[in-house]
Amino acid sequence: MKPKMISVIIPTYNRKGKLAKCIESVLGQSYREIEVIVVDDASADGTQELFQEISDGRLKYYRYETNRGACYARNYGAERAEGEFLAFQDSDDIWHAEKLEKQYRYLCSEGADLCFCGMNRVSETGSRFYYPVHPFHPARGLEEFLAENRAGTQTMLMRRRVWEELRFDEGIRRYQDWDFGIRAAEAFTLCYLPEALVESEVSGDSISARVKSYPHLLHLYRKHEALYLRYPDSMAVMNRRLGKRVHPTDPALAAAHFKKSFGLSRSFFDFGYWVADSLRAKATKKRK
């Protein structure tokens, strides 16, 4: 049977210094029936200079002049893709040479619509950890995706119809992969290849960064609230996560989330945080 075409979409914005190695890792895949679509999201660092001479006919470059975000770029590239299967790569990450081949074979053998694999998350200091942390059970796929993001976009290989039905939500600025994963788990059959086939850089997770992520996480939660109501355990986990985000700076808001989580989980952990943050909130109010 002739291998199916896989279209790989790489959105990029001001990653000229890292993009070349990323593309090299994609073009160097053992699975050869691919096209690589780079979408330049209005970079201002001279990224276009890398494509003045394209020697590999599988590589295509598109650019527009107004920055629109990674989700727009992914959809833009997918619209122009010719493959029956789609994969997405981040412009500062590296794929292992057999990533697509292993995922394609596994997806087909499992009869799935989307396959995601593991990856190594590499910090600026060189330390690394395997992601996702927890195993995946297809029979509980939606519940598990609601509780925790399992698949970065750079780990996904999907049949084209998955993207055609879902597309990436261009209205959200963070957790786009998590949002896509939740919607895919609800509507399609997913499988997980538990092997690190991606090397992905991760920046430091400071307290300030976690606090700033709260509105984006809350947006994701509210967008899928109807699904969370169907899965109380996942709702408890998400409220616990929201509470932790604002615990350092807004004890009253954190207490509200931990109270919600405790009501669902009956966990002593949630109860302890609820009580502690409630007391902190009262003390803060008195000082004012």
Side-chain angles (χ1 to χ4, degrees):
M1 183 177 64
K2 182 180 178 181
K4 303 295 186 181
M5 168 76 79
I6 298 177
S7 297
V8 182
I9 293 91
I10 307 175
T12 188
Y13 177 67
N14 289 344
R15 289 289 186 272
K16 181 181 178 182
K18 297 180 179 180
L19 181 58
K21 286 187 177 180
C22 166
I23 294 173
E24 182 181 351
S25 78
V26 178
L27 290 174
Q29 291 291 299
S30 58
Y31 192 97
R32 304 301 295 172
E33 194 67 25
I34 64 173
E35 64 171 353
V36 182
I37 300 173
V38 177
V39 181
D40 187 346
D41 192 23
S43 296
D45 64 347
T47 291
Q48 63 269 32
E49 296 170 2
L50 297 175
F51 302 90
Q52 290 176 350
E53 294 184 9
I54 298 178
S55 58
D56 194 317
R58 298 174 299 166
L59 180 61
K60 301 175 182 178
Y61 173 72
Y62 296 95
R63 174 184 169 84
Y64 42 80
E65 298 303 322
T66 301
N67 181 261
R68 298 174 179 270
C71 283
Y72 179 91
R74 292 185 185 106
N75 289 333
Y76 184 96
E79 287 169 354
R80 288 153 179 78
E82 299 178 3
E84 296 182 46
F85 290 80
L86 301 178
F88 298 87
Q89 168 66 315
D90 287 351
S91 57
D92 52 356
D93 291 341
I94 302 296
W95 280 357
H96 293 199
E98 296 183 344
K99 176 190 183 290
L100 290 182
E101 182 176 0
K102 287 183 175 181
Q103 281 192 281
Y104 176 76
R105 288 180 178 177
Y106 191 63
L107 184 150
C108 292
S109 69
E110 293 294 306
D113 300 304
L114 183 152
C115 175
F116 64 98
C117 65
M119 64 178 167
N120 291 318
R121 301 285 273 165
V122 185
S123 73
E124 296 169 344
T125 61
S127 63
R128 62 178 57 206
F129 65 92
Y130 180 84
Y131 175 94
V133 176
H134 299 109
F136 178 71
H137 306 90
R140 303 199 305 270
L142 177 55
E143 181 179 9
E144 292 183 350
F145 261 93
L146 286 167
E148 178 183 68
N149 188 14
R150 302 301 181 95
T153 51
Q154 66 273 65
T155 72
M156 296 178 183
L157 171 68
M158 68 191 73
R159 299 182 190 274
R160 184 182 182 89
R161 64 174 179 266
V162 177
W163 170 81
E164 288 178 337
E165 181 171 327
L166 302 179
R167 299 177 66 93
F168 288 94
D169 185 344
E170 298 170 16
I172 60 177
R173 306 299 292 183
R174 287 192 65 175
Y175 304 116
Q176 305 103 324
D177 50 0
W178 195 353
D179 170 69
F180 192 92
I182 289 172
R183 293 185 288 127
E186 181 186 16
F188 293 96
T189 302
L190 276 56
C191 65
Y192 165 51
L193 181 58
E195 182 178 351
L197 299 173
V198 179
E199 301 294 315
S200 176
E201 291 189 359
V202 58
S203 58
D205 187 22
S206 65
I207 291 177
S208 61
R210 290 196 296 271
V211 171
K212 289 179 181 178
S213 73
Y214 173 82
H216 304 282
L217 190 63
L218 183 64
H219 177 81
L220 180 76
Y221 172 61
R222 288 176 173 170
K223 177 179 179 179
H224 299 290
E225 191 165 8
L227 292 177
Y228 280 105
L229 288 170
R230 288 166 47 189
Y231 296 98
D233 289 345
S234 298
M235 179 179 273
V237 172
M238 181 58 96
N239 273 279
R240 184 180 305 133
R241 184 177 289 109
L242 287 162
K244 287 181 177 179
R245 288 289 195 275
V246 291
H247 168 76
T249 57
D250 192 334
L253 183 56
H257 283 299
F258 284 118
K259 180 180 180 181
K260 178 75 172 179
S261 185
F262 173 68
L264 296 164
S265 70
R266 315 310 292 180
S267 162
F268 284 112
F269 178 91
D270 294 325
F271 180 76
Y273 266 99
W274 172 30
V275 171
D277 279 326
S278 295
L279 294 174
R280 287 175 58 219
K282 288 181 180 179
T284 301
K285 188 175 181 180
K286 285 183 179 180
R287 287 197 295 270
K288 293 181 178 179

